[in-house]
Amino acid sequence: MKIIPIACLEDNYAYLLVCEQTNDAVIVDPSEAAPVQNVIDKECVTLKAIWNTHHHWDHTNGNQKLYDCYPRLTVAGHVSDSKRIPLINQCLDNNDTLSVGKEIVATVLHTPGHTLGAVSYYLEKDRALFTGDTLFGAGCGRLFEGTPAMLHQSLMTLSQLPPETNVYCGHEYTYNNLKFAAVIDPTNTMIQQRSKSLEKQPCSIPFSIKIEQQTNPFLRTTSHSVVDTVCRQFTLSNPHPVDVFAALRKWKDTYA
Ligand code: FE
Ligand code: ZN
């Protein structure tokens, strides 16, 4: 199985997954059709399915054009988005299994918070995880529809996957997210190292669950230094991890 990141729009990523035995392919989150179509043509693969992580325009806008080109396409998304994802014809729920060709097998993880129908696609055999706008490099999505408790739980689920899992997220925000992370967790040298490595090579994709556990403040809501910073900023004492998470999310929403 091969994974090809495709830069779309300003800072979005779509991902083409290719079964190398059959040349069947899946596209995750086609925010626009043209760049995806170019890669499909270049690779000479047969597009079989669209897997959307959530209903937002910048993850689904290519659905219609691709469907027009490939009328037997499967279009998958969470069941609660059955009226919001364009052309959806396969409704998913937590723990469903998807497969395309002989090599592409994914488990659906319902990870609500950014939106209520947000899902992540976990390919255990290939150690790959597609998180849409739930988990970003050193950050997480905004709370548009869910509660802090929901998104915190979703992120805990993802952070408990094997540390060597490679994460492919929906946007390239990692470098900027690390600036916020450094404010929250100022003594964490891993944050500085990660930031430095991106100065030479700005594409952060993929990154591991392990480096997220080490540097993402939204996953580190029980770490002493993160809790200390949040307590000082919001004058809290002994906050629950969900309260730490909620405070961080609120702070990040208005952080320059
Ligand atoms: Fe989104
Ligand atoms: Zn997005």
Side-chain angles (χ1 to χ4, degrees), residues 54 56 58-59 114 133:
H54 64 298
H56 283 159
D58 64 315
H59 298 255
H114 175 67
D133 292 355

Side-chain angles (χ1 to χ4, degrees), residues 88-206:
I88 184 171
N89 55 24
Q90 184 175 22
C91 291
L92 308 174
D93 214 337
N94 193 44
N95 262 320
D96 283 356
T97 303
L98 292 173
S99 69
V100 169
K102 291 183 179 165
E103 300 167 358
I104 306 170
V105 183
T107 302
V108 175
L109 303 174
H110 185 209
T111 45
H114 175 67
T115 65
L116 293 176
V119 295
S120 300
Y121 297 97
Y122 177 46
L123 285 73
E124 186 177 11
K125 188 169 54 72
D126 295 283
R127 299 177 168 180
L129 175 70
F130 298 87
T131 60
D133 292 355
T134 298
L135 173 65
F136 293 131
C140 70
R142 286 174 189 255
L143 282 166
F144 284 122
E145 297 174 10
T147 63
M150 252 180 213
L151 185 51
H152 182 255
Q153 180 55 54
S154 296
L155 292 171
M156 289 300 106
T157 301
L158 298 181
S159 81
Q160 281 155 23
L161 292 173
E164 66 276 13
T165 304
N166 287 311
V167 181
Y168 299 82
C169 64
H171 294 264
E172 183 59 70
Y173 293 154
T174 311
Y175 186 75
N176 272 328
N177 285 342
L178 286 164
K179 292 182 191 167
F180 179 72
V183 170
I184 302 304
D185 204 352
T187 56
N188 186 336
T189 55
M190 294 296 300
I191 292 173
Q192 293 148 29
Q193 276 175 39
R194 192 177 181 188
S195 199
K196 209 161 188 192
S197 75
L198 290 176
E199 278 161 17
K200 290 170 224 142
Q201 204 287 92
C203 174
S204 66
I205 306 296

Side-chain angles (χ1 to χ4, degrees), residues 63-83:
N63 284 18
Q64 181 72 56
K65 274 193 183 152
L66 291 171
Y67 193 83
D68 291 345
C69 296
Y70 306 93
R72 291 161 73 178
L73 215 51
T74 296
V75 182
H78 191 256
V79 59
S80 67
D81 278 337
S82 63
K83 297 202 164 54

